[in-house]
């Protein structure tokens, strides 16, 4: 559904008449996603792993890495993929790496700032900016699939 190029270019189409309601709904959804995911991955998980690993340099890197890896794993629907299709397997691994990298960055911000609030807002806003063009303005269904098959598979990998 989303290729890298589609995230930055508004796909031609008509803006739906109920776009203000859709955008308001997306704002609420993305705020909830930002708060819940950051609460789980950076609040509970990162905090717990930091307590176990220690708050020295090595413990901080390990805790950020573990929380980032689990954040990446959680963003791929591993059970619904065709692992025999190499394009789907590559997409899943790349999506996990991409999301884990973002998760590591978020963990660093939380550790440095000692709060999840700023990162939760940043997370929600980044999701919102990706979703507004297609879901809010063009009225597409608000379901996101990070792994595609067919013609979209190569575009997603690129």
């Amino acid at each position: 559904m989303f290729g890298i190029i589609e995230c930055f270019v508004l796909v031609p189409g008509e803006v739906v008449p109920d776009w203000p309601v859709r955008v308001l709904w997306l704002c609420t959804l993305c705020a909830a996603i930002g708060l819940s995911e950051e609460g789980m991955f950076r609040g509970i998980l990162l905090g717990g792993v930091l307590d176990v690993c220690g708050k020295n340099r090595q413990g901080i890197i390990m805790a950020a890495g573990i929380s980032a890896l689990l954040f990446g794993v959680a963003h791929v629907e591993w059970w619904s993929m065709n692992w025999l299709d190499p394009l789907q397997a590559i997409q899943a691994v790349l999506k996990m790496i991409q999301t884990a990298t973002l998760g590591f960055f978020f963990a660093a911000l939380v550790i440095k700032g000692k709060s999840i609030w700023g990162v939760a807002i940043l997370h929600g806003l980044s999701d919102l900016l990706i979703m507004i063009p297609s879901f809010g303005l063009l009225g597409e269904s608000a379901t996101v699939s990070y792994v595609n098959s067919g013609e979209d598979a190569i575009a997603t990998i690129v």
Side-chain angles (χ1 to χ4, degrees):
M1 181 173 288
F2 279 115
I4 301 242
I5 296 169
E6 291 173 331
C7 290
F8 299 106
V9 177
L10 186 61
V11 180
E14 276 189 43
V15 175
V16 294
D18 66 338
W19 69 266
V21 174
R22 288 175 168 274
V23 170
L24 182 61
W25 178 81
L26 284 173
C27 288
T28 305
L29 174 68
C30 290
I33 290 170
L35 285 171
S36 63
E37 287 190 0
E38 293 312 314
M40 287 185 293
F41 288 99
R42 258 59 72 186
I44 297 169
L45 181 63
L46 178 65
V49 177
L50 271 172
D51 287 344
V52 171
C53 293
K55 296 188 181 177
N56 57 17
R57 182 178 176 90
Q58 184 179 3
I60 290 171
I61 292 171
M62 173 124 13
I66 290 169
S67 70
L69 178 65
L70 292 174
F71 184 66
V73 167
H75 278 80
V76 176
E77 293 179 9
W78 300 97
W79 59 90
S80 66
M81 292 180 33
N82 176 6
W83 283 99
L84 299 176
D85 179 357
L87 292 177
Q88 287 189 36
I90 291 168
Q91 287 177 81
V93 171
L94 289 174
K95 181 59 187 178
M96 186 192 68
I97 292 169
Q98 173 197 22
T99 311
T101 302
L102 182 63
F104 193 87
F105 174 70
F106 283 169
L109 290 176
V110 167
I111 291 167
K112 182 76 173 166
K114 297 179 177 35
S115 172
I116 67 164
W117 292 106
V119 175
I121 293 168
L122 180 63
H123 185 158
L125 283 175
S126 69
D127 286 350
L128 182 64
L129 290 175
I130 291 170
M131 292 182 185
I132 279 183
S134 60
F135 303 144
L137 300 178
L138 300 178
E140 292 180 15
S141 172
T143 58
V144 176
S145 174
Y146 296 117
V147 178
N148 298 308
S149 59
E151 295 175 9
D152 293 341
I154 292 291
T156 301
I157 291 172
V158 171

